[in-house]
Amino acid sequence: NGLILDDKDAIMIPIPQYPIYSALIGRLGARQIGYYLDEDLGWAVAKEELQTRLDDAKKQGLNVKALAMINPGNPTGQVLSRDD
């Protein structure tokens, strides 16, 4: 629990996602910042999407502490390439 200090701390997680991630983040007292995977890109995420969600979180006064990259993706089944 050392990563989470208070309810202003946040972790970025992919959407869609397996519900245990959001449940655990909430249980630890942090905030979830969802970033959306693009089905048209094979369930990948665009760099611009990550930056937009990070900027939005900062505007809300949140401290993003981590970015969760789930590989292989659950429930999408996508596998990250080395370029990702």
Short mmCIF file of all heavy atoms in Angstrom, two decimals, residues 15 35-47 49 69 76 78-80 84:
data_model
loop_
_atom_site.label_atom_id
_atom_site.label_comp_id
_atom_site.label_asym_id
_atom_site.label_seq_id
_atom_site.Cartn_x
_atom_site.Cartn_y
_atom_site.Cartn_z
N ILE A 15 -9.42 0.43 -20.28
CA ILE A 15 -10.86 0.16 -20.39
C ILE A 15 -11.08 -0.39 -21.80
O ILE A 15 -10.66 0.26 -22.76
CB ILE A 15 -11.70 1.45 -20.20
CG1 ILE A 15 -11.38 2.13 -18.88
CG2 ILE A 15 -13.19 1.17 -20.36
CD1 ILE A 15 -11.75 1.36 -17.66
N TYR A 35 -8.13 4.66 -19.25
CA TYR A 35 -7.73 5.03 -20.62
C TYR A 35 -8.32 3.97 -21.54
O TYR A 35 -8.38 2.80 -21.22
CB TYR A 35 -6.22 5.20 -20.77
CG TYR A 35 -5.40 3.96 -20.54
CD1 TYR A 35 -5.14 3.06 -21.58
CD2 TYR A 35 -4.85 3.68 -19.30
CE1 TYR A 35 -4.37 1.92 -21.37
CE2 TYR A 35 -4.08 2.55 -19.08
CZ TYR A 35 -3.85 1.68 -20.12
OH TYR A 35 -3.09 0.57 -19.91
N TYR A 36 -8.80 4.42 -22.69
CA TYR A 36 -9.58 3.56 -23.55
C TYR A 36 -8.72 2.88 -24.62
O TYR A 36 -7.96 3.53 -25.32
CB TYR A 36 -10.72 4.34 -24.20
CG TYR A 36 -11.74 4.71 -23.15
CD1 TYR A 36 -11.60 5.88 -22.41
CD2 TYR A 36 -12.79 3.85 -22.84
CE1 TYR A 36 -12.50 6.20 -21.41
CE2 TYR A 36 -13.68 4.17 -21.84
CZ TYR A 36 -13.54 5.34 -21.13
OH TYR A 36 -14.42 5.65 -20.14
N LEU A 37 -8.90 1.56 -24.71
CA LEU A 37 -8.26 0.78 -25.76
C LEU A 37 -9.12 0.90 -27.02
O LEU A 37 -10.35 0.92 -26.94
CB LEU A 37 -8.15 -0.68 -25.34
CG LEU A 37 -7.37 -0.93 -24.04
CD1 LEU A 37 -7.39 -2.41 -23.69
CD2 LEU A 37 -5.96 -0.40 -24.14
N ASP A 38 -8.47 0.98 -28.16
CA ASP A 38 -9.15 1.20 -29.44
C ASP A 38 -9.29 -0.12 -30.19
O ASP A 38 -8.29 -0.70 -30.62
CB ASP A 38 -8.36 2.22 -30.26
CG ASP A 38 -9.08 2.68 -31.50
OD1 ASP A 38 -9.91 1.93 -32.05
OD2 ASP A 38 -8.80 3.82 -31.93
N GLU A 39 -10.52 -0.56 -30.34
CA GLU A 39 -10.77 -1.82 -31.04
C GLU A 39 -10.24 -1.79 -32.47
O GLU A 39 -9.73 -2.78 -32.98
CB GLU A 39 -12.26 -2.15 -31.02
CG GLU A 39 -12.59 -3.49 -31.61
CD GLU A 39 -14.07 -3.86 -31.50
OE1 GLU A 39 -14.88 -3.02 -31.07
OE2 GLU A 39 -14.39 -5.01 -31.84
N ASP A 40 -10.36 -0.63 -33.13
CA ASP A 40 -9.88 -0.50 -34.51
C ASP A 40 -8.36 -0.63 -34.62
O ASP A 40 -7.84 -0.88 -35.69
CB ASP A 40 -10.32 0.84 -35.12
CG ASP A 40 -11.83 0.92 -35.32
OD1 ASP A 40 -12.48 -0.15 -35.46
OD2 ASP A 40 -12.36 2.04 -35.34
N LEU A 41 -7.67 -0.45 -33.52
CA LEU A 41 -6.21 -0.60 -33.48
C LEU A 41 -5.80 -1.95 -32.89
O LEU A 41 -4.68 -2.12 -32.43
CB LEU A 41 -5.58 0.53 -32.66
CG LEU A 41 -5.75 1.95 -33.17
CD1 LEU A 41 -5.18 2.95 -32.18
CD2 LEU A 41 -5.11 2.10 -34.54
N GLY A 42 -6.73 -2.90 -32.87
CA GLY A 42 -6.43 -4.21 -32.29
C GLY A 42 -6.36 -4.16 -30.78
O GLY A 42 -5.57 -4.87 -30.16
N TRP A 43 -7.18 -3.30 -30.18
CA TRP A 43 -7.24 -3.11 -28.73
C TRP A 43 -5.95 -2.50 -28.17
O TRP A 43 -5.59 -2.73 -27.03
CB TRP A 43 -7.61 -4.39 -27.99
CG TRP A 43 -8.96 -4.89 -28.35
CD1 TRP A 43 -9.26 -5.96 -29.12
CD2 TRP A 43 -10.22 -4.32 -27.97
NE1 TRP A 43 -10.63 -6.10 -29.24
CE2 TRP A 43 -11.23 -5.08 -28.53
CE3 TRP A 43 -10.59 -3.20 -27.19
CZ2 TRP A 43 -12.58 -4.80 -28.37
CZ3 TRP A 43 -11.93 -2.93 -27.01
CH2 TRP A 43 -12.91 -3.73 -27.60
N ALA A 44 -5.28 -1.71 -28.99
CA ALA A 44 -4.09 -0.98 -28.53
C ALA A 44 -4.54 0.37 -27.98
O ALA A 44 -5.71 0.76 -28.08
CB ALA A 44 -3.11 -0.79 -29.68
N VAL A 45 -3.61 1.10 -27.41
CA VAL A 45 -3.90 2.44 -26.92
C VAL A 45 -3.02 3.43 -27.67
O VAL A 45 -1.85 3.15 -27.94
CB VAL A 45 -3.68 2.55 -25.39
CG1 VAL A 45 -2.23 2.31 -25.02
CG2 VAL A 45 -4.14 3.90 -24.88
N ALA A 46 -3.60 4.56 -28.02
CA ALA A 46 -2.85 5.62 -28.69
C ALA A 46 -2.15 6.50 -27.65
O ALA A 46 -2.70 6.74 -26.56
CB ALA A 46 -3.79 6.47 -29.54
N LYS A 47 -0.97 6.95 -27.96
CA LYS A 47 -0.21 7.82 -27.07
C LYS A 47 -1.04 9.05 -26.69
O LYS A 47 -1.02 9.49 -25.54
CB LYS A 47 1.09 8.24 -27.74
CG LYS A 47 1.96 9.12 -26.89
CD LYS A 47 3.24 9.48 -27.62
CE LYS A 47 4.07 10.42 -26.79
NZ LYS A 47 5.30 10.82 -27.50
N GLU A 49 -4.25 9.28 -26.36
CA GLU A 49 -5.26 8.90 -25.37
C GLU A 49 -4.66 8.92 -23.97
O GLU A 49 -5.26 9.46 -23.03
CB GLU A 49 -5.82 7.51 -25.68
CG GLU A 49 -6.69 6.90 -24.61
CD GLU A 49 -8.02 7.60 -24.37
OE1 GLU A 49 -8.39 8.50 -25.14
OE2 GLU A 49 -8.69 7.24 -23.39
N MET A 69 -0.43 -1.63 -17.51
CA MET A 69 -0.47 -2.19 -18.86
C MET A 69 -0.66 -3.69 -18.67
O MET A 69 0.22 -4.36 -18.12
CB MET A 69 0.83 -1.92 -19.61
CG MET A 69 1.18 -0.45 -19.75
SD MET A 69 0.17 0.44 -20.93
CE MET A 69 0.72 -0.21 -22.47
N THR A 76 -9.85 -8.46 -23.54
CA THR A 76 -9.73 -8.34 -24.99
C THR A 76 -8.85 -9.40 -25.63
O THR A 76 -9.04 -9.73 -26.79
CB THR A 76 -9.19 -6.96 -25.37
OG1 THR A 76 -7.87 -6.82 -24.86
CG2 THR A 76 -10.08 -5.86 -24.86
N GLN A 78 -5.73 -9.01 -26.41
CA GLN A 78 -4.65 -8.43 -27.22
C GLN A 78 -3.30 -8.68 -26.55
O GLN A 78 -3.21 -8.83 -25.34
CB GLN A 78 -4.87 -6.92 -27.46
CG GLN A 78 -4.12 -5.95 -26.56
CD GLN A 78 -4.66 -5.81 -25.17
OE1 GLN A 78 -5.54 -6.52 -24.72
NE2 GLN A 78 -4.11 -4.87 -24.42
N VAL A 79 -2.27 -8.73 -27.37
CA VAL A 79 -0.90 -8.91 -26.88
C VAL A 79 -0.09 -7.73 -27.37
O VAL A 79 -0.10 -7.41 -28.55
CB VAL A 79 -0.30 -10.24 -27.38
CG1 VAL A 79 1.14 -10.38 -26.94
CG2 VAL A 79 -1.14 -11.42 -26.88
N LEU A 80 0.61 -7.08 -26.44
CA LEU A 80 1.43 -5.93 -26.81
C LEU A 80 2.63 -6.37 -27.64
O LEU A 80 3.23 -7.41 -27.37
CB LEU A 80 1.93 -5.22 -25.56
CG LEU A 80 0.85 -4.61 -24.66
CD1 LEU A 80 1.47 -4.11 -23.36
CD2 LEU A 80 0.14 -3.48 -25.39
N ASP A 84 4.86 -1.38 -28.83
CA ASP A 84 3.88 -0.80 -27.89
C ASP A 84 4.58 -0.39 -26.62
O ASP A 84 4.22 0.50 -25.93
CB ASP A 84 2.77 -1.80 -27.57
CG ASP A 84 1.88 -2.05 -28.78
OD1 ASP A 84 1.77 -1.18 -29.64
OD2 ASP A 84 1.30 -3.15 -28.83
#
